């Protein structure tokens, strides 16, 4: 079993209402980080974040990042 790559990574929320928080999320089926995150907040509210340019990789030279920055876009009320 190849343990050098994982199916999840850390999303680092660098601004907006969840600034400084991190969220574990999974890669797309293509192996790419998700371009957009929709995070549920209070009842009827979601925060939308989009992928930023910051990437972090582990010391074992994996092709996939271990952490990806996300920037706040908007709050959606249902």
């Amino acid at each position: 079993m190849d343990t050098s790559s994982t199916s999840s990574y850390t999303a680092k929320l660098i601004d907006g209402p969840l600034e400084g928080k991190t969220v574990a999320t999974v890669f797309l089926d293509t192996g790419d980080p998700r371009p957009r995150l929709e995070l549920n907040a209070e009842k009827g509210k979601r925060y939308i974040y989009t992928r930023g340019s910051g990437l972090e990789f582990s010391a074992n030279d994996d092709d996939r990042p271990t952490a990806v920055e996300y920037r706040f876009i908007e709050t959606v009320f249902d």
Side-chain angles (χ1 to χ4, degrees):
M1 182 166 108
D2 181 15
T3 58
S4 64
S5 62
T6 61
S7 60
S8 65
Y9 64 96
T10 300
K12 298 172 78 174
L13 309 176
I14 61 172
D15 59 5
L18 300 177
E19 180 177 359
K21 305 283 186 194
T22 60
V23 178
T25 190
V26 295
F27 289 98
L28 297 172
D29 291 340
T30 61
D32 295 321
R34 296 185 172 279
R36 174 181 161 132
L37 297 176
E38 293 190 24
L39 304 171
N40 291 328
E42 302 148 17
K43 184 177 180 178
K45 182 166 50 171
R46 293 177 287 136
Y47 297 126
I48 310 299
Y49 280 79
T50 190
R51 192 170 74 195
S53 59
L55 301 172
E56 293 179 15
F57 293 88
S58 72
N60 11 342
D61 296 327
D62 290 341
D63 290 339
R64 292 180 173 181
T66 56
V68 178
E69 288 183 349
Y70 284 83
R71 293 194 150 293
F72 178 72
I73 298 295
E74 66 180 329
T75 302
V76 176
F77 297 93
D78 296 325

